[in-house]
Amino acid sequence: MSRIDTVTAMMARYNARDAEGYAAFFAEEGCEAQYRGDVVRDGRAGVASGMAAVFAEYPQNHAEVLQSFELGERVVLHERVRRSPEAEPFDVITVYSFSGDRVDRVEFIR
């Protein structure tokens, strides 16, 4: 599976609001962080529990991928996220870094 295929599968789990399925793509010590900044969800278990909390708070959360690029060891997405159908959308750039076939860091630029 290519890296972009992996991220596409992750986004399908994200949009299904499947926190465990989304987190399964991460390396055991993988994380999610602000761009060049603080880690917001640490480790595969931290990603799973953090995303479960997000999905509980926003049960209609959905991300539309507007553009995607595979650049060496990274995949970059431009996403438009809506917390609910009525909510104002926001755009985010996500940078997925890999270690082998697992995601080891996702950084959010917003």
Side-chain angles (χ1 to χ4, degrees):
M1 180 181 288
S2 74
R3 289 185 174 94
I4 204 153
D5 290 340
T6 297
V7 173
T8 299
M10 288 177 74
M11 292 305 296
R13 300 308 343 129
Y14 177 92
N15 282 329
R17 291 169 293 286
D18 174 5
E20 291 290 333
Y22 173 81
F25 290 93
F26 279 80
E28 191 64 39
E29 300 301 319
C31 68
E32 292 185 321
Q34 298 304 322
Y35 177 65
R36 299 179 67 177
D38 294 336
V39 170
V40 294
R41 290 181 271 281
D42 198 18
R44 185 183 302 147
V47 169
S49 66
M51 292 311 300
V54 168
F55 298 149
E57 183 174 357
Y58 304 105
Q60 294 179 305
N61 189 75
H62 183 82
E64 175 187 3
V65 176
L66 302 176
Q67 293 181 303
S68 59
F69 307 92
E70 187 169 356
L71 303 167
E73 298 288 315
R74 292 178 180 80
V75 172
V76 179
L77 300 183
H78 174 195
E79 302 172 35
R80 180 150 302 139
V81 179
R82 287 185 188 271
R83 297 299 192 195
S84 73
E86 303 80 29
E88 186 70 27
F90 61 90
D91 285 6
V92 62
I93 299 294
T94 50
V95 180
Y96 295 77
S97 298
F98 284 77
S99 178
D101 63 349
R102 297 283 182 182
V103 172
D104 66 0
R105 186 174 178 96
V106 178
E107 291 186 289
F108 304 102
I109 304 168
R110 183 173 166 198

